[in-house]
């Protein structure tokens, strides 16, 4: 791919290529109560393309997160986005019998995508035979971060603190968790504890490699703690992990949910650009596609005279 951009990361990022995006692709899901609607975005060029399965935040849909999806797809990844049952586009009522298990349906959506990659591949013109199904990452924002984390080994605790079902999926080799909730229990506000009892994760078994992204001004109304709550997926999990903390960023992390999204309270193109490039470099390293971009990105941010964030790893 001609051209490159080191941006603010120090990593050489190839020039973008055209992408093809197809929606909706329907996957049959009888037990779900509605077919799963999926969007697939892919580079128009290239072979042995790695895959990112992306879980949206609460209420969003597969139409969201263009700043990330477009960047990843135009730089070599096939991005697959489900529309979960909590999407505003589906208008699921609070008294729907599926609502208490909405978090579990989300994880099942992600697994259904992994089970039906052949069908999704065939739905995109020119994509057949171009996927590398041995290199798959899970990513998610907010509630989607917990969804993606479940595939990495996160376990939801019951009210007595017992670990729930193990939903780890070995097909997922790495993850990116963006503005993802921390531990539950006494760290939740009374409203959150009553309304979202499934927001009670244990990270003790989340051993798969992951990049956690948090804003240091993300004062979530769901916790009695401050922005450090969103760093729990990094500090409370074992294995190879990295944490990107964005200075001044709130829950939208500068605007990753969309190009013009009313929920974005902290619009910051520098934050978005940094997340684009750092997640790209991280996933290329974690999926064994590149052994230089991630280390170069970390060094560039560390050496910057005007950094918009910091990275720590272990």
């Amino acid at each position: 791919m001609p051209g490159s951009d080191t941006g603010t990361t120090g990593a050489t990022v190839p020039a973008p290529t055209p992408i093809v995006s197809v929606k909706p692709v329907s996957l049959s899901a009888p037990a779900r109560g509605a077919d799963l609607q999926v969007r697939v975005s892919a580079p128009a060029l290239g072979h042995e393309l790695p895959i990112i399965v992306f879980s949206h935040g609460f209420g969003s849909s597969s139409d969201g997160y263009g700043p990330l999806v477009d960047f990843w797809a135009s730089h070599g990844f096939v991005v697959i986005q489900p529309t979960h049952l909590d999407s505003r586009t589906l208008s699921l009522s609070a008294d729907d019998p599926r609502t208490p298990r909405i978090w579990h349906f989300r994880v099942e959506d992600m697994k259904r995508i992994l089970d039906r990659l052949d069908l999704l591949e065939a739905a995109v013109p020119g994509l057949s035979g171009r996927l590398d199904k041995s290199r798959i990452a899970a990513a998610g924002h907010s509630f989607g971060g917990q969804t993606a984390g479940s595939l990495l080994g996160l376990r939801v605790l019951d009210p007595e603190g017992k670990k729930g079902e193990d939903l780890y999926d070995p097909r997922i080799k790495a993850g990116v968790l963006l503005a993802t909730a921390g531990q539950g229990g006494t760290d939740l506000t009374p409203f959150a504890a009553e309304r979202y009892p499934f927001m009670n994760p244990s990270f003790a078994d989340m051993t798969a490699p992951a990049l956690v992204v948090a804003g240091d001004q993300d004062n979530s109304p769901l916790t009695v703690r401050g922005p450090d709550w969103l760093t729990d997926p990094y500090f409370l999990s074992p294995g190879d992990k990295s944490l990107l903390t964005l200075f001044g960023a709130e829950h939208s992390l500068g605007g990753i949910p969309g190009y013009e999204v009313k929920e974005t309270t902290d619009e910051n193109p520098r934050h978005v650009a940094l997340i684009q490039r750092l997640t790209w470099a991280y996933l290329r390293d974690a999926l064994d596609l590149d052994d230089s971009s991630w280390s170069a990105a970390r060094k560039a941010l560390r050496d910057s005279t005007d950094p918009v964030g910091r990275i720590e790893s272990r």
Side-chain angles (χ1 to χ4, degrees):
M1 288 181 259
S4 65
D5 178 17
T6 58
T8 57
T9 66
T12 300
V13 180
T17 63
I19 67 174
V20 176
S21 188
V22 174
K23 69 164 191 176
V25 182
S26 294
L27 299 181
S28 177
R32 188 177 184 267
D35 286 350
L36 175 61
Q37 303 300 312
V38 177
R39 180 177 190 152
V40 183
S41 301
L45 306 173
H47 292 83
E48 298 183 348
L49 301 171
I51 300 164
I52 300 172
V53 185
F54 185 86
S55 178
H56 62 72
F58 185 85
S60 189
S61 72
S62 61
D63 289 326
Y65 298 92
L68 290 183
V69 173
D70 291 350
F71 185 89
W72 289 335
S74 66
H75 290 86
F77 286 89
V78 173
V79 187
I80 305 176
Q81 298 172 266
T83 291
H84 298 301
L85 286 174
D86 56 84
S87 173
R88 289 186 293 273
T89 64
L90 300 180
S91 302
L92 201 70
S93 65
D95 59 357
D96 188 287
R98 291 168 290 181
T99 297
R101 296 274 290 169
I102 203 77
W103 69 273
H104 198 279
F105 280 108
R106 281 173 148 263
V107 181
E108 289 178 347
D109 289 346
M110 302 284 272
K111 287 179 174 286
R112 183 168 286 108
I113 285 171
L114 298 176
D115 292 341
R116 304 301 300 277
L117 283 177
D118 289 346
L119 187 153
L120 293 169
E121 182 181 21
V124 180
L127 186 59
S128 292
R130 297 171 55 214
L131 296 185
D132 184 346
K133 297 171 187 175
S134 70
R135 290 187 167 97
I136 307 176
H141 174 240
S142 193
F143 194 11
Q146 178 171 317
T147 304
S150 294
L151 301 177
L152 303 174
L154 178 155
R155 305 276 289 275
V156 173
L157 303 177
D158 67 16
E160 285 72 45
K162 183 180 178 181
K163 292 179 183 177
E165 183 180 355
D166 182 2
L167 298 170
Y168 167 76
D169 197 307
R171 292 172 291 186
I172 299 297
K173 305 305 181 186
V176 174
L177 308 185
L178 302 141
T180 299
Q183 63 183 359
T186 58
D187 286 351
L188 296 178
T189 61
F191 169 82
E194 178 181 356
R195 187 77 177 270
Y196 309 117
F198 48 79
M199 194 173 288
N200 193 20
S202 167
F203 302 101
D205 300 302
M206 198 176 77
T207 58
L211 170 63
V212 177
V213 182
D216 70 0
Q217 296 300 312
D218 189 352
N219 290 293
S220 173
L222 301 176
T223 181
V224 297
R225 290 167 53 190
D228 71 299
W229 185 57
L230 287 301
T231 66
D232 282 357
Y234 172 74
F235 287 107
L236 301 182
S237 64
D240 295 335
K241 299 291 188 299
S242 291
L243 172 66
L244 168 62
T245 302
L246 294 169
F247 304 149
E250 300 176 16
H251 198 62
S252 294
L253 300 174
I256 63 170
Y259 294 108
E260 295 183 33
V261 179
K262 65 181 181 179
E263 290 93 340
T264 296
T265 60
D266 59 323
E267 185 175 353
N268 189 320
R270 290 186 70 198
H271 285 160
V272 175
L274 186 65
I275 293 171
Q276 289 172 332
R277 289 163 171 78
L278 282 174
T279 55
W280 174 85
Y282 173 79
L283 288 174
R284 284 187 57 81
D285 178 79
L287 297 177
D288 293 324
L289 293 162
D290 182 356
D291 61 1
S292 62
S293 294
W294 177 234
S295 59
R298 287 183 293 169
K299 182 179 187 303
L301 188 60
R302 184 173 62 246
D303 296 344
S304 173
T305 59
D306 182 27
V308 295
R310 67 173 180 271
I311 294 176
E312 49 198 294
S313 299
R314 55 171 171 74

